[in-house]
Amino acid sequence: MRAKQNIHLGLVPLICFLHLCSAQVIRTKVAVLGGGMAGVISARTLSENGISDFVIIEAESVLGGRMKQAQFGGYMIELGANWIQGTRNKETGKENPLWTLAKKYKLKSTLSDFESVLTYDQNGLTDYSDVLEQAFDKYDQVMEDAELREERKLKDLSFAQGLSLRGWTPRTSYEKLADWFAFDFEFADTPSASSMIGAAIGDDMSDDNRFVTDQRGFALLVREEANKFATRNNILYKSTVTKVTYSKSSVNITLKSGLMIVADYAICTFSLGVLQHNDVQFIPQFPAWKQESISTFKMATYTKIFLQFPYKFWNSKQFSLYADPYRRGYYPAWQSLSEIGFFPGSNILFVTVVTDQAYIVEAQSNNQTLMEIMAVLKSMYGQTVPKPNNSYYYRWTDDPLYRGSYSNWPVGASRCQHGNLRRSIGRLHFAGEAYSEEYGAYAHGAYMSGLETGQKVADYVL
């Protein structure tokens, strides 16, 4: 189901599990809760500071978190994080750390060409590319307005209000599809539910987004970095945290197995969705200011539905867009993985739905979803579309380890509330994409948050 690890790290899960479970209590300087990007980079930072007394507690059998892969139709596909979102900062020229790692480990990726697109509606191929251009132009204008709005300390608006002030109020099915592609496809939520100022935070990465195609998996970056510090003692796999008791002097972590880890400090990298669902008990209960910040921000869902067909019947563009006449965001963005640079000859096509439509897809049966998808494809390409040999999608919101895909900044949420979201309590610290001040929702945000929090805790320990 996942990318191959190197031999050394592949042995760690079994060795660690047997070694650590031989005791009822483990004592350590730092416990890192979660082995995704933020957790591994936090641990790497501790190691680089000369701190070896730490343990990563990971619920799954491999590292990676929301950088999750699966075998599908003979290929390794990315269910979660899939893009390196820009290779460098447009203002400073500083390289995206994920791009740095990708080059280091020769991770294969292909540039996403958002101009390689054809547009469809219920009657088939229909050219409304001019509407797309208009939507992206308005999107760019609102981003600029948002920066000015924050500089002048004006009240936040929804992104939809910002668009309206620029003369963009989508009414036709084409305009609604263009609105979705320009905004929802990136933020996994609607402009009306999203902060205008919040959307502009971190909007300084270059536009060269790279789609990871490496058959070792995007999570290779996490696993290879873990090799720098992985030992037989410091990674505990298949270990679900059920309770965290924190104070000004220590943090005690209880696992589902009954094992307890007693740490001087802890770095919690649980997703915002996990905190919102109370999947882990925190004792004492978080203070009011922390609860407010957790409930204020949004955990969005980004779902990719993969299909493999007996032959390729679609065009050779990277993207195909479908404007449903009645429903905004109804199976709207299709991507071909059968093209050069991806998986040529794979006959794999996938469609993306987000948040509200993703919740519907998660709640219904796979057969219902497939029936709806086939109706859309027949509207786009005609009644001769063959049945797929295989289909698959992951239910992110249902998974208690994630409860969604990534965070979104809702309208009205303040910088102060976000500061409280990432603020430590006692010796319990937080890291992850949702807690990144500059790059919330992005994998490089998780990296930077892990780096910052790891260094902060290292300074305390030292």
Side-chain angles (χ1 to χ4, degrees):
M1 290 290 287
R2 293 181 172 84
K4 293 181 180 178
Q5 304 172 70
N6 63 47
I7 294 175
H8 170 66
L9 191 56
L11 291 175
V12 171
L14 179 58
I15 294 172
C16 282
F17 187 74
L18 293 175
H19 175 81
L20 293 175
C21 285
S22 64
Q24 292 299 312
V25 177
I26 298 171
R27 297 186 182 275
T28 186
K29 284 285 184 185
V30 184
V32 180
L33 314 184
M37 177 64 76
V40 168
I41 298 304
S42 292
R44 188 195 71 182
T45 304
L46 294 173
S47 180
E48 290 172 346
N49 278 269
I51 300 167
S52 58
D53 186 8
F54 63 84
V55 61
I56 295 177
I57 304 166
E58 170 54 47
E60 304 229 49
S61 59
V62 291
L63 300 175
R66 283 170 272 169
M67 301 172 90
K68 182 184 285 290
Q69 300 82 40
Q71 284 286 346
F72 178 80
Y75 298 86
M76 185 75 75
I77 57 171
E78 300 291 340
L79 305 178
N82 213 143
W83 279 271
I84 298 171
Q85 301 275 162
T87 58
R88 63 186 61 253
N89 187 295
K90 290 182 288 190
E91 298 174 2
T92 66
K94 188 175 181 179
E95 199 165 76
N96 183 332
L98 298 195
W99 179 237
T100 304
L101 291 179
K103 292 191 297 181
K104 178 180 178 181
Y105 297 118
K106 296 180 172 55
L107 190 79
K108 293 181 180 178
S109 64
T110 297
L111 184 68
S112 284
D113 183 0
F114 293 99
E115 293 185 0
S116 177
V117 58
L118 286 177
T119 55
Y120 296 79
D121 63 11
Q122 72 276 16
N123 298 312
L125 184 65
T126 307
D127 184 10
Y128 47 90
S129 56
D130 58 327
V131 182
L132 290 181
E133 291 177 10
Q134 187 181 5
F136 277 97
D137 286 344
K138 297 299 183 182
Y139 171 94
D140 291 338
Q141 291 169 15
V142 175
M143 284 294 190
E144 294 174 3
D145 293 345
E147 293 176 4
L148 289 173
R149 196 168 193 87
E150 186 171 32
E151 286 175 11
R152 296 169 182 174
K153 301 188 184 306
L154 298 176
K155 184 178 179 181
D156 189 22
L157 299 174
S158 73
F159 204 88
Q161 287 174 303
L163 288 167
S164 179
L165 290 173
R166 280 289 186 171
W168 176 259
T169 304
R171 292 187 175 89
T172 69
S173 61
Y174 300 155
E175 290 170 343
K176 290 176 181 178
L177 180 280
D179 193 54
W180 186 98
F181 194 48
F183 191 88
D184 301 36
F185 190 59
E186 177 82 6
F187 295 95
D189 211 343
T190 63
S192 59
S194 305
S195 164
M196 178 176 167
I197 292 175
I201 296 173
D203 184 47
D204 54 11
M205 281 293 180
S206 56
D207 296 328
D208 49 344
N209 297 329
R210 303 197 63 88
F211 187 95
V212 174
T213 59
D214 201 295
Q215 291 300 283
R216 296 170 295 174
F218 200 176
L220 173 82
L221 304 185
V222 172
R223 295 163 191 163
E224 288 293 338
E225 287 300 289
N227 273 333
K228 294 182 176 181
F229 58 78
T231 71
R232 63 189 301 270
N233 295 317
N234 63 8
I235 304 179
L236 182 58
Y237 291 82
K238 295 184 178 179
S239 300
T240 303
V241 175
T242 58
K243 182 168 66 176
V244 177
T245 304
Y246 62 94
S247 69
K248 293 181 179 179
S249 59
S250 67
V251 183
N252 295 348
I253 299 101
T254 304
L255 305 184
K256 187 177 181 179
S257 65
L259 187 66
M260 178 176 288
I261 294 93
V262 178
D264 291 345
Y265 298 90
I267 299 174
C268 176
T269 70
F270 298 153
S271 76
L272 175 65
V274 168
L275 297 186
Q276 289 175 337
H277 278 74
N278 298 314
D279 289 306
V280 178
Q281 182 184 12
F282 288 88
I283 301 174
Q285 191 177 59
F286 286 152
W289 56 265
K290 190 73 170 182
Q291 293 185 48
E292 177 186 320
S293 65
I294 291 170
S295 64
T296 295
F297 287 85
K298 178 81 173 283
M299 190 67 178
T301 298
Y302 188 102
T303 302
K304 291 175 285 186
I305 306 168
F306 295 88
L307 306 108
Q308 186 175 47
F309 291 89
Y311 57 87
K312 180 184 173 186
F313 57 84
W314 56 91
N315 63 75
S316 295
K317 299 290 187 179
Q318 284 193 24
F319 294 90
S320 298
L321 303 180
Y322 172 71
D324 188 85
Y326 308 110
R327 293 155 290 193
R328 182 184 182 278
Y330 187 77
Y331 304 108
W334 299 78
Q335 291 176 253
S336 173
L337 293 184
S338 204
E339 311 312 316
I340 295 173
F342 297 89
F343 310 140
S346 66
N347 299 331
I348 295 176
L349 189 66
F350 76 93
V351 60
T352 298
V353 293
V354 302
T355 304
D356 291 343
Q357 184 61 34
Y359 299 155
I360 293 172
V361 162
E362 284 196 5
Q364 66 192 19
S365 68
N366 291 356
N367 286 339
Q368 177 66 28
T369 300
L370 184 59
M371 183 178 69
E372 293 173 352
I373 281 175
M374 290 302 294
V376 169
L377 285 174
K378 288 179 179 180
S379 292
M380 295 170 68
Y381 297 105
Q383 295 301 310
T384 59
V385 171
K387 291 182 179 180
N389 298 330
N390 198 5
S391 64
Y392 180 75
Y393 61 94
Y394 195 75
R395 289 170 165 82
W396 285 100
T397 310
D398 281 353
D399 192 327
L401 298 182
Y402 308 108
R403 299 297 188 188
S405 300
Y406 50 83
S407 63
N408 187 37
W409 195 300
V411 60
S414 68
R415 287 271 195 175
C416 177
Q417 287 172 314
H418 191 265
N420 285 340
L421 184 65
R422 63 179 185 275
R423 182 178 161 191
S424 60
I425 313 174
R427 294 195 171 195
L428 179 63
H429 297 257
F430 297 85
E433 54 83 10
Y435 316 104
S436 172
E437 184 174 12
E438 292 183 278
Y439 298 109
Y442 295 108
H444 56 272
Y447 179 104
M448 294 175 186
S449 175
L451 192 68
E452 178 183 351
T453 304
Q455 188 60 56
K456 185 186 297 183
V457 172
D459 291 342
Y460 283 128
V461 172
L462 296 172

